[in-house]
Amino acid sequence: GYGDTEAYLALLAVSPGLCERGIGRQMLDWLVATADVAGVETISVELREDNSVARKLYETLGFVPTGQRPGGYYGVVNQNRMRLRLRPSPT
């Protein structure tokens, strides 16, 4: 979803048989480029705490941890929050 200054990535998934081919990275590169052109300041994402592959991918693009929601996935797995700042927010 896109707002005036923020974008939120609700779901990104790659079929298990197609993993490790750079597809997720290509989709994220497109999202970041599109958000940047639109003037978005930040992109936020939430992911499962146990999804180290996704976390590493987001980190390579500059996403940083911003918090956690305990039991965010059906009360079973914690939900980690991350954010990428594309430009400083106006003050």
Side-chain angles (χ1 to χ4, degrees):
Y2 288 98
D4 290 338
T5 60
E6 294 184 22
Y8 174 76
L9 176 57
L11 178 62
L12 174 68
V14 176
S15 176
L18 298 174
C19 288
E20 311 239 357
R21 295 185 185 184
I23 296 169
R25 174 64 188 246
Q26 289 175 18
M27 289 190 291
L28 281 171
D29 285 345
W30 176 85
L31 170 69
V32 170
T34 302
D36 190 38
V37 168
V40 169
E41 295 170 10
T42 61
I43 301 172
S44 298
V45 64
E46 295 172 347
L47 59 145
R48 291 174 59 103
E49 180 180 53
D50 59 359
N51 192 342
S52 62
V53 173
R55 186 185 72 249
K56 287 176 187 175
L57 175 59
Y58 292 126
E59 287 173 346
T60 65
L61 289 168
F63 281 78
V64 296
T66 59
Q68 187 178 74
R69 190 171 101 191
Y73 286 93
Y74 308 104
V76 177
V77 177
N78 294 335
Q79 184 180 62
N80 288 344
R81 295 180 177 137
M82 299 183 82
R83 178 175 292 140
L84 174 65
R85 183 162 292 283
L86 299 176
R87 59 183 44 82
S89 57
T91 54

